[in-house]
Amino acid sequence: MRRAIRQAERALGETNPNPLVGCVLVRNGVVVGEGFHARAGSPHAEALALEAAGRKARGSTAYVTLEPCAPNARKRTPPCAPRLIAAGVRRVVFGVRDLNPLVQGAGLRLLRSAGVRVVEGPCLPEARRLTQHFNSAMRLRRPFVSLKTGMTLDGRIATVSGDSRWITSKTQRAAARTLRRLFDAIVVGIETAIKDDPGLMPEPRTLRPYTRVVLDSGLRMPVRSRLVRSARRSPLILICVRGPAGRRLDLEAQGVTVIPVRGKQGRVSIPAALRALFARGILSLMVEGGSEVMGSFVRDRLFDEIVIFRAPLILGGRGSRAAVGGDNPVRVNEAVAMTRARREDSATVRYGLKASADLEVEVYERVQSRSARTRQPG
Ligand code: AOF
Ligand code: ZN
């Protein structure tokens, strides 16, 4: 299974919105075939492993990081469970269940009914990470949301005058661009888009087209910005509440997608924005600011983790330029409960980054309410 996980990780950042999947076929203690899902729409891990094994697949055990898929109407590729059966695979050991409502247990039932032994496998936490964003989106029916921020040890993202270049180090900023690869899309607010004129592309670039999203309630996005000018090469979605019709036409003429949604106190409603993105098949987001946008996601409890790059600096001084904005809670027990995801320093492994002395990546996950946890299907 560890070998299957390593296979899956070879496509890190490229399979979105599909999960990372790896498969290893073993017969008589010998690996006879292996493969990984390389990108959405391309063959599944099992199909490639079976192809590599040829006739040697007969009587083998398949180690797959994800439950093999079953036939359904919306598939782009042939289903894996019938293929494993046809190839004569005797046993399937899988890592995590597929919470895609179109799959959910159907592949396992098919395998069992054909007399294949099915075992829910080892290394579960590692395998789960490969599928975390995908399965979370399937379960909650909205994209997995990661908030990303960089701040000083005392939680500042800028000086009182608004100067923020650079709180985080060069290494940290490069790492943040690499993290973008793991998400279907990146999100910023219009203030950040205007002030920084960012490109919001992952580094290294992904082979798949990379989607950028701006929450732009009044449709103020400048037509001459870097984001708009690159919209034909890399999709740009503007989510607005209202905006001049002429401006919308100008933006659309540049290849920009404009999606009007419901507003909330003059801003884009976060639930409405997530619904619109989910409907377009976007299953994971990294939100990069600014602080008011962060505050909106936190206020609505519509996020799953926060990734904090802590700069080894203490800025100090009075003021309220804290990283997460929004309303001020009156009491401490109004705070959102968080838990450190892993005690050991495994974040670099998780995200496939090289360890470095000034690279400290800490991941805190939201403590899901009991009702959300028991809602898990399957
Ligand atoms: C597997 N093996 O390698 C992957 C699976 O559109 P399709 O045909 O590519 O199907 C996509 C769905 O298949 C995806 O949403 C997820 O449920 C599952 N992914 N399953 O057995 C794989 N990538
Ligand atoms: Zn499949």
Side-chain angles (χ1 to χ4, degrees), residues 18-19 21 37 41 44-46 66-69 74-77 80 98 100 103 134:
N18 269 1
V21 187
H37 185 50
H44 284 187
E46 299 93 315
L66 181 70
E67 144 185 10
C69 65
R74 265 190 272 156
K75 286 193 61 58
R76 287 165 289 198
T77 66
C80 295
D98 187 337
N100 182 347
V103 177
F134 179 82

Side-chain angles (χ1 to χ4, degrees), residues 100-147:
N100 182 347
L102 296 171
V103 177
Q104 251 185 51
L108 302 183
R109 281 193 294 279
L110 208 64
L111 289 165
R112 286 201 181 102
S113 68
V116 178
R117 263 189 69 203
V118 178
V119 183
E120 185 148 11
C123 308
L124 221 63
E126 269 176 285
R128 185 172 293 136
R129 245 169 268 153
L130 300 170
T131 321
Q132 184 189 16
H133 296 172
F134 179 82
N135 267 348
S136 167
M138 289 298 132
R139 186 161 67 90
L140 302 174
R141 310 309 299 163
R142 62 153 172 85
F144 178 94
V145 175
S146 179
L147 307 181

Side-chain angles (χ1 to χ4, degrees), residues 169-186:
S169 72
K170 211 170 165 181
T171 318
Q172 289 174 319
R173 294 198 305 279
R177 286 193 296 274
T178 304
L179 290 191
R180 288 174 177 163
R181 291 172 53 84
L182 302 185
F183 296 86
D184 292 7
I186 209 85

Side-chain angles (χ1 to χ4, degrees), residues 41-115:
S42 81
H44 284 187
E46 299 93 315
L48 294 172
L50 287 172
E51 202 174 293
R55 298 235 302 277
K56 290 190 193 135
R58 195 153 294 280
S60 67
T61 293
Y63 295 88
V64 204
T65 59
L66 181 70
E67 144 185 10
C69 65
N72 74 66
R74 265 190 272 156
K75 286 193 61 58
R76 287 165 289 198
T77 66
C80 295
R83 282 193 159 198
L84 291 163
I85 295 166
V89 170
R90 240 200 355 230
R91 196 162 72 108
V92 170
V93 181
F94 72 95
V96 290
R97 287 168 186 267
D98 187 337
L99 299 188
N100 182 347
L102 296 171
V103 177
Q104 251 185 51
L108 302 183
R109 281 193 294 279
L110 208 64
L111 289 165
R112 286 201 181 102
S113 68

